[in-house]
Amino acid sequence: MASQLPTSPIAGAINSFNKDGLKPTETAEKNPLPSSADVKQEKTHQNILAEVEGGAKLRHTDTKEKIVLPSADDVKQEKNRQSLLSEVEGDHSLKKVTTDEKNPLPDNDAVQAEKKHQQFTSGIEGFSKDQLNKAETAEKNPLPGTDAIAAEKKEVEMRTGIEQYNKENMKHTDTQVKQVLPDKDTIEQERRNSLNE
């Protein structure tokens, strides 16, 4: 048999292939059977087809058609539509009218303003940087004067003196509250003044 195969590189490779390196396997044929649900569905389908072909007896039924009448709004809208259509289709006596096309031209002021605007924009677009003079920008950073520096220095010294003051150098003092109470005559006079008002 091997001598009858055509001589090609593939046929030569197949003939010279070493079969000893292959592992033995068993061939298992798989023929899946339908499930019980598939069988039941097929039987139901076959029964329906048999009944249809055999002329199954059906029960007599009466069909009731429901006719929906239009609402009052629908009737009103239809009447309005019909009246508008009859007005449009009917004969009308119209007056002859001539249409004047008005194309107002701009007045002299508007033309002059437009010319100035166009000259302005063309002047900006065609401006040459060569016409500009060379200028150097001097940055000015004004420093505070000697008076301002001296005032700020005094304020800083005063703050540091307050913050670093040693409280132990202070002497203990007792505060006396002096409150002068009004005498009897003054109270009487105040009462009379409040009653008179």
Side-chain angles (χ1 to χ4, degrees):
M1 251 199 208
S3 61
Q4 294 175 357
L5 287 175
T7 56
S8 69
I10 297 173
I14 292 173
N15 288 333
S16 64
F17 182 72
N18 186 6
K19 298 175 187 171
D20 296 335
L22 296 176
K23 295 179 183 176
T25 58
E26 291 186 26
T27 306
E29 288 188 29
K30 293 183 178 179
N31 188 7
L33 297 175
S35 66
S36 61
D38 294 336
V39 172
K40 186 176 180 181
Q41 184 180 3
E42 183 67 24
K43 281 184 182 179
T44 305
H45 181 68
Q46 291 296 331
N47 289 340
I48 291 171
L49 287 178
E51 284 181 19
V52 170
E53 290 173 357
K57 293 182 181 179
L58 301 175
R59 285 183 267 160
H60 179 73
T61 59
D62 291 328
T63 305
K64 295 180 182 178
E65 291 186 26
K66 293 184 179 179
I67 299 173
V68 179
L69 297 176
S71 65
D73 291 337
D74 294 337
V75 172
K76 186 176 180 182
Q77 286 179 355
E78 186 63 26
K79 282 184 180 179
N80 286 341
R81 184 174 173 273
Q82 291 296 331
S83 65
L84 289 174
L85 286 174
S86 63
E87 282 182 31
V88 171
E89 292 172 352
D91 292 331
H92 298 287
S93 59
L94 301 175
K95 297 178 184 176
K96 180 147 180 95
V97 177
T98 57
T99 305
D100 294 334
E101 288 189 27
K102 294 184 178 179
N103 188 5
L105 296 174
D107 59 352
N108 195 20
D109 294 336
V111 172
Q112 292 299 325
E114 182 68 23
K115 280 184 182 178
K116 283 183 182 179
H117 180 69
Q118 286 179 352
Q119 288 174 352
F120 179 72
T121 54
S122 64
I124 291 172
E125 291 170 355
F127 184 74
S128 174
K129 295 179 185 177
D130 300 334
Q131 297 174 357
L132 294 174
N133 294 335
K134 178 91 174 156
E136 292 189 23
T137 306
E139 291 185 24
K140 293 185 179 180
N141 189 4
L143 296 174
T146 56
D147 296 337
I149 292 172
E152 189 172 345
K153 193 173 185 181
K154 282 184 182 178
E155 185 179 338
V156 169
E157 287 174 356
M158 184 178 73
R159 281 188 185 169
T160 55
I162 292 171
E163 291 171 354
Q164 296 175 356
Y165 185 75
N166 189 1
K167 296 178 186 176
E168 293 175 2
N169 294 340
M170 298 177 97
K171 295 179 184 175
H172 180 71
T173 58
D174 290 329
T175 307
Q176 292 181 352
V177 178
K178 294 183 178 179
Q179 187 175 14
V180 179
L181 296 176
D183 60 348
K184 196 174 188 181
D185 295 334
T186 309
I187 294 172
E188 191 63 34
Q189 188 176 359
E190 283 281 331
R191 189 178 307 152
R192 277 190 235 132
N193 287 343
S194 64
L195 291 175
N196 289 337
E197 293 178 356

